[in-house]
Every structure is written in C-alpha cells, then in structure tokens.
Amino acid sequence: MGKKFQVLGYGLQITTVIAGIALILMMVHISTDVVAKYIFRIPMPGTITVVSNYYMVLVAFLPLAFTERRNGQISVEVVTTLLPAKYQRILNVFSLIFCASVFAALAWQGWVEAGRSQKVGTFEIEQNMKLLTWPARYLLPIGCGLIAMTLLVKIWIALRRGKDLNIDEPYF
C-alpha cells in the first residue's frame, strides 16, 4: 500500500475492529439478557433497542469499506470473464464509479436524516425506559462514507495503473 493511503487503511482496520468489538458486546449483552430473564426473572431493559439500533448497524456497515478494500465483496463474473482484459478494466472502473455514487448518496442522505433525528431527539421506550436512538443514526452514513472514500481511492488507483492493475487483487 502506498503511503498516500496508509491513513485510510489504518482507519478501515480500526473501524473493523470496532465492529468486531460490537459483535462480541452484542453476544454478551444478549446472553446476559437471556440469563437475567429466564434464570433471575429480571429482564434487562433496552436490549432489543440497543441491539437493533447500535450493535447491528455497527456490525453491518462499519466493515463494508474494509471488505471492499480487500476485494472481498461478492461478485458474479459470468459474462465479464469472456471479455478482453481492456474491457474488463473499463467495466471495472464504471462499476466502481457507480458504486461510489450510490454509497456517497446513501452517506449524504443518511447524514441529513441523522441530523433531523438529532434535532427532534429521537428515542424509543422499552420497559418504561427512554433510550436515545438518534446517535445510532450517524453510524450508517459513517459506514457508507467510508466505503465511498475507499471506492474513490480504488477508482484513482485503477485510472493511474491502467494495464498494470490486476482487478482481482486488492488495490491498496
């Protein structure tokens, strides 16, 4: 990886570790809730809200950019493998541009929606307990923004390397 993209690479590793920690915390939280509910007859308030609004969003969206960086997304190459390498590279750049546009739009709109939720102080009530959910609304646009940045870097690398780029290997 070139020095230009080391900061992004480290950032993606950190967000993936955060998602891993969130996954472990989610397992512990749910297990503790089950034990508390069925053994001690004292359910933990907020488990469903915290799991669905915080843990699941962290686990689903933060590692997306790391996976994209490593070319780990699922791809079906039925027709494209029949094309000459030049056209495969062109098609690859167009698909990167399309995906970057979609994720940038999701990040932008998600950020706008998170701001609206923050303004009104979005919350959920579970077992007579008020739990703020507006902070979790920022997790999706952060994840989508990271993958959009990763895709932009991949576009730049693909355009700079040209024929020397192996589209099947990680770009950086």
Side-chain angles (χ1 to χ4, degrees):
M1 168 173 43
K3 289 187 178 191
K4 294 177 185 177
F5 307 117
Q6 271 184 331
V7 173
L8 179 60
Y10 291 142
L12 298 181
Q13 288 174 347
I14 290 168
T15 57
T16 303
V17 168
I18 291 169
I21 291 168
L23 180 64
I24 292 167
L25 289 173
M26 180 171 60
M27 291 186 308
V28 169
H29 192 153
I30 293 170
S31 298
T32 305
D33 182 50
V34 168
V35 169
K37 187 183 300 179
Y38 293 107
I39 293 178
F40 301 112
R41 307 232 184 247
I42 306 169
M44 292 176 54
T47 298
I48 293 171
T49 301
V50 172
V51 167
S52 61
N53 286 287
Y54 288 92
Y55 294 138
M56 287 185 163
V57 179
L58 278 166
V59 170
F61 286 95
L62 281 189
L64 280 177
F66 181 81
T67 306
E68 180 60 38
R69 176 182 171 222
R70 300 179 52 88
N71 285 351
Q73 308 291 2
I74 296 172
S75 63
V76 180
E77 302 161 345
V78 177
V79 177
T80 56
T81 55
L82 303 174
L83 297 173
K86 174 184 176 182
Y87 295 113
Q88 287 182 25
R89 286 191 300 273
I90 291 170
L91 199 57
N92 178 54
V93 170
F94 280 118
S95 68
L96 290 172
I97 291 169
F98 175 75
C99 291
S101 302
V102 169
F103 279 108
L106 284 169
W108 176 261
Q109 190 56 44
W111 196 264
V112 169
E113 188 58 37
R116 287 184 192 141
S117 293
Q118 182 180 2
K119 269 186 192 171
V120 298
T122 304
F123 65 92
E124 289 184 21
I125 296 177
E126 188 176 325
Q127 297 176 355
N128 295 323
M129 186 175 186
K130 179 180 173 182
L131 299 163
L132 293 177
T133 56
W134 67 261
R137 302 289 173 105
Y138 285 102
L139 298 173
L140 182 135
I142 289 170
C144 289
L146 286 170
I147 193 170
M149 285 191 318
T150 302
L151 289 162
L152 290 173
V153 168
K154 287 178 74 170
I155 292 165
W156 185 38
I157 291 171
L159 293 174
R160 297 230 351 161
R161 287 191 191 160
K163 293 179 185 176
D164 298 332
L165 179 69
N166 182 353
I167 61 175
D168 296 323
E169 294 179 6
Y171 289 33
F172 67 100

